[in-house]
Amino acid sequence: MKSILPARIIGGILLLLPTIAGQGQFAERSIKIMNESGRRVDIHWIHPQTGEMVLQSKPDILNGASLDLNSYSTHTFQVRELPAKRTGECAGEENVCRIDHFTVNQNEDQVIFIREGIVVEHTDSKSIAEKSASNLLDECRTTAKSKLKQSDADATS
């Protein structure tokens, strides 16, 4: 009987591990990468221990296209501009191909926009909610100030 109880406990822990891992530091996340840069780019995952660059976009992401990836929080990616097919040159200073990076975070609904100049803008459910709340607060502040000025003007007339 003593040998069965530990096996049941271990079995229960093993069943819970995927749930615990999904909420922990290395939570699995789906990300969408939207290329709005005006250039072709490719995406590389950067191995955290070796720094090896692992191509994720085969062959590349054209301007206006998107790429869906499954990844994990804390994974870092490099976005790299590719030379134009016609000229063989990049649009960076002295024709150098531009790069930027992003790291997957814990939040849901992550969308990475690659903007003009190969500038990464990383959005997610939390940042969108914070921005919406901030915009709403700014609107309320502006309305309140306007009403206060109006009530002050009414009181002095």
Side-chain angles (χ1 to χ4, degrees), residues 15-43:
L15 285 173
L16 288 174
L17 278 178
T19 304
I20 294 166
Q23 297 170 357
Q25 181 180 3
F26 304 109
E28 186 173 356
R29 293 291 177 252
S30 296
I31 60 173
K32 178 180 273 304
I33 302 167
M34 309 280 294
N35 183 7
E36 299 178 350
S37 69
R39 308 291 298 183
R40 293 181 315 126
V41 298
D42 61 16
I43 308 295

Side-chain angles (χ1 to χ4, degrees), residues 122-136:
H122 191 160
T123 66
D124 56 57
S125 57
K126 186 176 179 181
S127 67
I128 291 168
E130 286 173 350
K131 187 174 182 177
S132 295
S134 178
N135 289 343
L136 185 59

Side-chain angles (χ1 to χ4, degrees), residues 68-140:
D68 293 318
L69 288 177
N70 291 322
S71 188
Y72 292 89
S73 59
T74 74
H75 279 194
T76 298
F77 293 85
Q78 181 187 76
V79 178
R80 183 183 305 159
E81 176 184 21
L82 295 173
K85 287 185 177 181
R86 188 173 49 84
T87 64
E89 296 179 346
C90 288
E93 194 172 308
E94 297 184 20
N95 300 321
V96 172
C97 294
R98 298 164 291 186
I99 62 170
D100 202 351
H101 299 85
F102 67 90
T103 300
V104 178
N105 62 37
Q106 291 284 90
N107 301 328
E108 300 287 340
D109 303 323
Q110 295 182 55
V111 180
I112 289 74
F113 293 95
I114 305 167
R115 304 289 190 195
E116 191 172 332
I118 313 301
V119 175
V120 170
E121 178 186 337
H122 191 160
T123 66
D124 56 57
S125 57
K126 186 176 179 181
S127 67
I128 291 168
E130 286 173 350
K131 187 174 182 177
S132 295
S134 178
N135 289 343
L136 185 59
L137 187 59
D138 289 345
E139 286 177 30
C140 287

